[in-house]
């Protein structure tokens, strides 16, 4: 019951907050502009992926992190200590209620923007655009599942940093200094599943996926020796460090999604499991930090 | 004697440098109205927060109604009604919504909760502001809301931190009257540095200074520590009558007297003499010599004097204060003899 009470209280606070209201309006507006701009020129898969990029990469990524960071900063915990944590509630119950409310709010805003956008893109009477492969139901469900788990992960990153640093601004600065190098390192090692940028590039492929058959699964399992792949990644990392990389510079839009084929073997289950696992890990770390904190 | 609160060498050091609570050993008896007295920064609020599990003790332990306090001791917090000093409650909620949240945290069933909140809102005088957000309430109204929240679950122990801070005289009187009403069926701890409040409502007192408890006992014990128990009389009469009173008093009464001004007489009851009898004798003498009594003041400044004496005594002890602290045993050092 205390978790439910805190969850409800937090949801109430978030729905009344100007940040969430403005975010919803701005996200709807941006989605509308993107859909209108790509209406006659982009394929379904690319147009959906561009819309998703606003949440996974920029700019809503920052709003999501801010929502997470502000959950447990010092100023906020002052009022929580006086009003809530001095009552019969355990710390894990409080933090779980707060975290769940923030994740659900982010999901709700994203769904409120993305679901109508996807429906309009897929079902709308658009001019024929050359399409190699159509968007599938499985692809859309898989993309939705990935988006939900990545958003939960981003909120968890924010909550952990807010708890760790108490000061919201400091937490944000640290995040920016840590997050972007991590993205670069993950990209170097071809761990596409761990990088939201790469993930968004893989979205057109994911959206066109069909229900996996047994043959496909066994094919994936026996793919390439792991040792050789690791060696290749290490060599590439060293080339990057020494400035002798032979990779061509990555281009952004409109070529952002041009090489989506290289993500053909991306595993939806692996992505969800990785982000899900990391989210649980972050949640645990946040609990630990919060448990040892004086209020 | 059952203890509502017991602490054993409770210590809190912030960041490894600031000693907020220093080896605190305290017992608050059940059913007492305990005045937790001390200057600003003495460690009163930190002690209350340690009891609530909002802070983690650096050493020692605390018990509330026999149960150990701690970060996750929700069962202990369920027995405590806490009123923080200058409370900061969720500013966007309305009083009823906040009290409903507190009731849910206390797992009070909905039907009981709503009825109880309604009656409490009325009892603390918040009916006119129920449609306002907490952020717009005055200090007095926020304190009243905090009082209502602390009483919502009908806990056996109330911890009120500076309940009269920033209140106007009417609100202050309300808070003190309420403490006197509540004293009948629960333990109340009032942390404050306002001596008049302690004097008015408390039957036990603990004096904290620089993180240490330098006195703990009944109010009578504390006042008895005064070397001089003063009574001040404001008199009206002719010069002759007053002079005659001065001559007669030393012979017939067990008091020492001193003229504070032309018509204000300060009396000090001699060691071992009863205050009531000594005062009766003095009044009898004054009546005989034709001096009228305008006013009498006794005990108003007693707590203040006793309190200041305690602080001075503690400071004068210097290094001797260290002797009272616990000594490590062989077992503490892993059994190695030294």
């Amino acid at each position: 019951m205390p978790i439910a009470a805190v969850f409800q209280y937090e949801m109430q606070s978030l729905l009344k907050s100007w940040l969430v209201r403005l975010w919803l309006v701005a996200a709807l507006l941006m989605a509308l502009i993107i859909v209108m701009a790509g209406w006659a020129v982009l394929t379904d898969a690319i147009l959906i992926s561009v819309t998703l990029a606003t949440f996974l990469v920029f700019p809503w990524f920052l709003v999501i992190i801010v929502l997470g960071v502000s959950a447990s900063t010092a100023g906020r915990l002052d009022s929580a200590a006086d009003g809530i944590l001095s009552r019969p509630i355990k710390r894990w119950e409080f933090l779980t209620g707060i975290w769940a409310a923030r994740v659900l709010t982010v999901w709700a805003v994203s769904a409120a923007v993305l679901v109508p956008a996807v429906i309009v893109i897929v079902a709308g009477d658009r001019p024929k655009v050359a399409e190699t492969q159509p968007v599938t139901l499985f692809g859309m469900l898989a993309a939705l599942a990935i988006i939900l788990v990545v958003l939960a992960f981003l909120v968890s990153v924010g909550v952990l940093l807010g708890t760790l640093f108490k000061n919201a601004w400091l937490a944000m600065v640290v995040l920016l200094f840590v997050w972007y190098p991590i993205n670069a390192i993950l990209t170097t090692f071809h761990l596409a599943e761990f990088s939201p940028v790469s993930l968004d590039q893989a979205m057109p492929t994911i959206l066109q996926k069909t229900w996996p058959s047994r043959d496909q699964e066994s094919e994936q399992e026996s793919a390439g020796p792991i040792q050789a792949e690791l060696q290749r990644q290490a060599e590439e990392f060293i080339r990057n460090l020494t400035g002798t990389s032979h990779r061509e510079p990555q281009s952004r839009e409109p070529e952002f999604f041009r090489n989506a084929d290289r993500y053909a073997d991306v595993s939806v289950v692996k992505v969800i499991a990785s982000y899900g696992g990391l989210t649980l890990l972050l949640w645990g770390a946040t609990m630990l930090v919060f448990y040892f904190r004086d209020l | 004697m059952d203890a509502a609160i017991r602490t054993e060498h409770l210590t809190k050091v912030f960041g490894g440098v600031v000693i907020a609570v220093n080896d605190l050993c305290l017992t608050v008896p059940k059913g007492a109205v305990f005045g937790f007295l001390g200057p600003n920064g003495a460690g009163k609020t930190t002690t209350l927060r340690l009891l609530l599990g909002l802070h983690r003790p650096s050493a020692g332990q605390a018990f509330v109604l026999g149960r150990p306090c701690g970060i996750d001791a929700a069962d202990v917090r369920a027995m405590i009604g806490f009123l923080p000093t200058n409370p900061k409650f969720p500013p966007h909620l309305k009083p009823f919504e906040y009290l409903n949240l507190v009731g849910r945290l206390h797992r009070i069933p909905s039907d009981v909760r709503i009825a109880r909140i309604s009656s409490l809102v009325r009892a603390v005088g918040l009916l006119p502001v129920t449609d306002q957000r907490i952020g717009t309430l005055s200090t007095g109204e926020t304190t009243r809301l905090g009082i209502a929240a602390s009483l919502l679950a009908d806990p056996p122990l109330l911890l009120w931190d500076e309940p009269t801070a920033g209140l106007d005289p009417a609100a202050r009187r309300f808070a003190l009257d309420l403490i006197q009403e509540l004293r009948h069926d629960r333990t109340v701890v009032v942390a404050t540095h306002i001596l008049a409040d302690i004097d008015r409502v408390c039957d036990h007192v603990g004096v904290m200074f620089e993180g240490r408890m330098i006195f703990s006992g009944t109010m009578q014990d504390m006042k008895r520590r005064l070397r001089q128990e003063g009574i001040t009389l404001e008199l009206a009469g002719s010069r002759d009558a007053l002079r005659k009173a001065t001559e007669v008093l030393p012979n017939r009464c067990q008091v020492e007297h001193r003229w504070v001004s032309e018509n204000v007489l300060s009396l000090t009851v001699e060691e071992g003499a009863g205050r009531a009898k000594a005062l009766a004798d003095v009044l009898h003498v004054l009546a005989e010599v034709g001096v009228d009594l305008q006013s009498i003041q006794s005990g108003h400044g007693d707590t203040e004097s006793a309190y200041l004496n305690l602080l001075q005594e503690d400071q004068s002890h210097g290094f001797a204060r260290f002797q009272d602290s616990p000594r490590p045993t062989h077992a503490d050092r892993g059994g190695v003899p030294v």
Side-chain angles (χ1 to χ4, degrees):
Chain A
M1 196 172 177
I3 290 186
V6 169
F7 173 78
Q8 200 181 328
Y9 149 75
E10 187 70 2
M11 283 299 285
Q12 222 177 334
S13 318
L14 288 166
L15 294 178
K16 283 178 185 170
S17 85
W18 282 108
L19 176 65
V20 173
R21 289 176 184 180
L22 285 175
W23 178 36
L24 179 61
V25 173
L28 279 169
L29 211 63
M30 186 171 266
L32 184 69
I33 292 167
I34 288 171
V35 172
M36 282 167 66
W39 189 252
V41 287
L42 295 176
T43 62
D44 288 357
I46 299 287
L47 192 50
I48 292 171
S49 301
V50 174
T51 316
L52 293 182
T54 58
F55 286 87
L56 286 181
V57 185
F58 191 81
W60 309 137
F61 153 81
L62 287 172
V63 178
I64 293 164
I65 291 284
V66 167
L67 274 174
V69 165
S70 62
S72 53
T73 49
R76 193 159 186 280
L77 282 184
D78 276 350
S79 95
D82 279 5
I84 298 173
L85 285 160
S86 59
R87 315 294 170 194
I89 181 171
K90 294 184 175 181
R91 288 197 179 188
W92 72 265
E93 292 174 326
F94 173 78
L95 203 61
T96 306
I98 297 280
W99 176 84
R102 289 190 178 239
V103 168
L104 200 73
T105 303
V106 168
W107 283 357
V109 171
S110 311
V113 175
L114 294 175
V115 171
V118 170
I119 290 172
V120 167
I121 291 167
V122 175
D125 186 16
R126 301 169 55 203
K128 285 284 174 202
V129 179
E131 189 131 33
T132 48
Q133 222 179 327
V135 170
T136 64
L137 179 64
F138 172 77
M140 284 194 284
L141 290 176
L144 180 71
I146 288 174
I147 287 287
L148 293 183
V149 79
V150 172
L151 293 180
F153 167 78
L154 292 176
V155 172
S156 306
V157 169
V159 175
L160 174 63
L161 287 172
T163 311
L164 208 56
F165 293 102
K166 298 183 187 176
N167 182 308
W169 288 109
L170 182 64
M172 284 301 294
V173 169
V174 169
L175 179 85
L176 291 177
F177 272 95
V178 169
W179 185 252
Y180 285 104
I182 277 183
N183 256 348
I185 291 169
L186 290 176
T187 307
T188 307
F189 278 100
H190 287 274
L191 293 169
E193 293 87 348
F194 290 95
S195 160
V197 177
S198 310
L199 201 56
D200 196 57
Q201 285 177 317
M203 266 311 159
T205 314
I206 293 170
L207 284 162
Q208 290 161 347
K209 269 183 182 284
T210 51
W211 297 96
S213 64
R214 244 174 220 290
D215 294 345
Q216 280 175 312
E217 280 171 15
S218 56
E219 205 176 289
Q220 277 182 3
E221 278 167 17
S222 60
I226 296 168
Q227 214 172 345
E229 176 62 15
L230 284 174
Q231 194 180 342
R232 190 186 63 75
Q233 288 174 2
E235 282 168 2
E236 188 165 334
F237 182 63
I238 289 166
R239 273 199 299 273
N240 278 338
L241 285 178
T242 54
T244 56
S245 175
H246 63 82
R247 287 178 62 194
E248 289 170 13
Q250 284 192 353
S251 56
R252 294 189 64 82
E253 278 190 80
E255 294 189 1
F256 189 69
F257 296 104
R258 198 160 282 176
N259 294 326
D261 289 349
R262 64 190 160 127
Y263 297 108
D265 62 341
V266 71
S267 162
V268 174
V269 175
K270 214 161 100 182
V271 170
I272 292 173
S274 306
Y275 272 100
L278 277 174
T279 303
L280 288 178
L281 209 66
L282 289 170
W283 185 82
T286 309
M287 286 293 168
L288 206 65
V289 173
F290 192 52
Y291 194 77
F292 284 97
R293 185 163 160 180
D294 284 326
L295 299 172
Chain B
M1 180 173 57
D2 284 346
I5 297 172
R6 186 164 57 86
T7 68
E8 294 171 357
H9 304 293
L10 192 64
T11 304
K12 179 65 190 174
V13 183
F14 286 110
V17 283
V18 180
I19 304 168
V21 176
N22 191 346
D23 191 27
L24 180 73
C25 295
L26 166 72
T27 302
V28 176
K30 263 187 194 168
V33 179
F34 188 88
F36 206 10
L37 199 58
N40 290 328
K44 307 185 293 291
T45 298
T46 306
T47 305
L48 297 188
R49 287 183 163 248
L50 284 165
L51 294 174
L52 284 159
L54 295 175
H55 291 330
R56 178 183 289 276
S58 306
Q61 47 192 340
F63 300 89
V64 166
L65 297 165
R67 296 190 193 180
C69 301
I71 295 284
D72 262 347
D75 57 333
V76 169
R77 287 194 284 273
M79 298 188 294
I80 299 174
F82 177 55
L83 170 67
T85 179
N86 297 321
K88 291 180 194 128
F89 298 135
H92 60 280
L93 294 185
K94 292 175 180 171
F96 197 96
E97 291 171 333
Y98 173 64
L99 291 173
N100 195 35
L101 169 65
V102 173
R104 289 183 69 187
L105 294 177
H106 277 279
R107 297 175 171 83
I108 303 172
S110 170
D111 49 343
V112 180
R113 190 170 71 228
I114 303 299
R116 196 163 166 77
I117 291 172
S118 302
S119 65
L120 263 174
V121 165
R122 189 166 182 273
V124 299
L126 284 178
L127 271 180
V129 295
T130 46
D131 59 339
Q132 287 182 28
R133 295 192 191 286
I134 293 174
T136 66
L137 299 182
S138 68
T139 309
E141 287 162 346
T142 310
T143 303
R144 283 167 190 256
L145 176 63
I147 288 172
S150 74
L151 295 172
L152 187 59
D154 198 19
L157 172 65
L158 295 176
L159 298 183
W160 285 9
D161 193 4
E162 311 267 9
T164 57
L167 298 188
D168 62 42
R172 180 167 170 262
R173 186 172 175 180
F174 164 80
L176 296 176
D177 286 348
L178 189 59
I179 293 170
Q180 283 184 322
E181 269 181 52
L182 293 169
R183 69 190 312 164
H184 303 298
D185 53 357
R186 70 194 83 210
T187 310
V188 186
V189 174
V190 183
T192 183
H193 59 268
I194 303 173
L195 295 158
D197 292 353
I198 295 277
D199 235 358
R200 187 166 155 194
V201 296
C202 297
D203 49 34
H204 284 70
V205 66
V207 180
M208 214 170 168
F209 183 55
E210 293 179 344
R212 293 184 74 238
M213 188 61 73
I214 57 173
F215 173 82
S216 180
T218 63
M219 282 296 285
Q220 285 174 329
D221 288 341
M222 179 154 167
K223 288 179 178 174
R224 234 177 258 138
R225 291 176 68 93
L226 274 172
R227 281 185 225 99
Q228 296 178 328
E229 297 195 50
I231 301 167
T232 307
L233 307 178
E234 191 181 351
L235 307 172
S238 65
R239 279 183 179 226
D240 284 348
L242 291 172
R243 185 163 38 80
K244 193 162 187 186
T246 308
E247 289 167 7
V248 177
L249 278 173
N251 304 325
R252 301 217 355 225
C253 306
Q254 290 180 291
V255 293
E256 288 173 20
H257 72 275
R258 178 173 61 89
W259 287 101
V260 178
S261 65
E262 195 176 338
N263 62 338
V264 177
L265 184 64
S266 173
L267 303 173
T268 304
V269 180
E270 288 175 2
E271 188 101 18
R275 274 165 71 83
K277 186 179 178 309
L279 185 62
D281 290 345
V282 170
L283 294 176
H284 189 68
V285 168
L286 293 175
E288 273 181 14
V289 298
V291 173
D292 200 12
L293 182 67
Q294 298 277 45
S295 72
I296 180 165
Q297 281 191 324
S298 173
H300 185 74
D302 281 359
T303 313
E304 188 174 331
S305 306
Y307 169 68
L308 293 173
N309 279 354
L310 282 165
L311 297 191
Q312 281 171 359
E313 271 179 39
D314 187 69
Q315 281 175 318
S316 67
H317 285 160
F319 189 73
R321 290 178 285 188
F322 177 66
Q323 304 303 320
D324 301 330
S325 63
R327 287 154 195 251
T329 61
H330 285 179
D332 293 333
R333 300 177 185 130
V336 180
V338 287

